[in-house]
Amino acid sequence: MNTLRTIATTFKAKDVLEGAGVRLRRGFSNVEAKQFDPFLLFDDFSSTIPEHYLAGFPWHPHRGMETVTYILDGAVRHKDSLGNEGVIESGAIQWMTAGRGIIHEEMPESAHGIRGFQLWVNLPKKEKMSPPRYQDLAGATVPEIALGPDARTRVIAGEIGGVMGPLKSVAGNPLYIDVTLESNGTVSIPVPPGHTAFAYIVEGALGTDSSEPTLYAPGTILLFTREGDTLVLRTGSSGARFLIIAGAPLNEPIAWHGPIVMNTDEELREAFRELQEGTFIRVG
Ligand code: MN
């Protein structure tokens, strides 16, 4: 017997200026992070206007967390202090586990608009100082499967419908899927009880089961209650494309400043001291 989850809260992504002057929409960040544990932040940097994104995100550090970049259209060139360099292209995902630290730059470079998202995932205390790790998942490695009669989904991370996404084990066994649901369609998505789960609406209009009449617009986050094991989502005449992201909460203290997320203020101070002294990046 499935237990349906209901919407706990909805959030409308807000315009913010980030990096060297990128205009993006932020779904949630430090104010709401406790409700989204283990997720810290969600940004939608989609834009049709190159001046909104070309300034990019020049050299900056990360420690104690992961950044997950998913590109629908366009490209982001990246480079880092460990010598990694590449381009995240349409359909591709970069799951970057900063661990004890990297310094990198992320530069959108599409001349004709971009569609993409960045999610920040917290690391558990025991993995905050682990060696940095990249998983660059090309679009062709992401399986696309039918999810019932009305929906198709790209499986980026986790397992759904018996299909595993290409992401290799990371903390919290996250689920990250990109679902396209046709008009007047319904889809059921299993999520482990207790895991945080939210939807981000990319296109169209999306609601939950028919007991809830509202359909929500693109740029809305639907945060679900943690009780229950099934999300039911439905569309009206326009259909919808949306992301479903879920993961196990850490329930650990958060000490967060900018791109560094630790457990205590002392660990934060140490990170910024190391940045100043040039010892932030540890070799070997
Ligand atoms: Mn970054």
Side-chain angles (χ1 to χ4, degrees), residues 57-58 60-62 65 67 69 96 102 104-106 118 120 259:
F57 307 89
H60 60 276
H62 288 286
M65 38 91 63
T67 63
T69 308
M96 190 278 287
I102 63 130
H104 73 168
E105 66 168 11
E106 301 158 285
Q118 190 167 83
W120 289 15

Side-chain angles (χ1 to χ4, degrees), residues 28-196:
F28 63 89
S29 182
N30 47 351
V31 173
E32 303 89 3
K34 253 202 158 61
Q35 291 169 269
F36 284 88
D37 183 11
F39 307 109
L40 296 164
L41 172 150
F42 182 86
D43 282 346
D44 178 347
F45 54 86
S46 305
S47 175
T48 54
I49 303 166
E51 292 74 45
H52 285 184
Y53 56 80
L54 284 177
F57 307 89
W59 294 100
H60 60 276
H62 288 286
R63 174 178 284 179
M65 38 91 63
E66 304 181 290
T67 63
V68 180
T69 308
Y70 180 31
I71 305 295
L72 299 187
D73 296 299
V76 172
R77 181 171 293 279
H78 69 93
K79 239 191 253 184
D80 71 35
S81 53
L82 306 169
N84 299 301
E85 185 170 357
V87 182
I88 315 167
E89 290 177 317
S90 298
I93 299 95
Q94 182 192 72
W95 199 293
M96 190 278 287
T97 304
R100 65 193 176 204
I102 63 130
I103 299 177
H104 73 168
E105 66 168 11
E106 301 158 285
M107 305 301 283
E109 60 176 22
S110 167
H112 306 289
I114 196 163
R115 287 203 300 166
F117 315 99
Q118 190 167 83
L119 172 74
W120 289 15
V121 189
N122 203 1
L123 282 171
K125 184 178 173 58
K126 62 178 192 316
E127 291 181 37
K128 282 195 180 289
M129 295 301 279
S130 61
R133 177 184 182 200
Y134 274 91
Q135 297 191 56
D136 282 309
L137 313 171
T141 68
V142 177
E144 187 172 324
I145 59 163
L147 208 57
D150 301 334
R152 296 191 63 75
T153 188
R154 303 187 81 219
V155 188
I156 293 161
E159 185 194 334
I160 189 150
V163 173
M164 280 292 287
L167 186 80
K168 300 282 185 302
S169 64
V170 296
N173 295 319
L175 176 73
Y176 192 136
I177 58 175
D178 169 4
V179 184
T180 301
L181 182 55
E182 65 185 46
S183 54
N184 302 307
T186 305
V187 66
S188 289
I189 296 168
V191 282
H195 282 207
T196 301

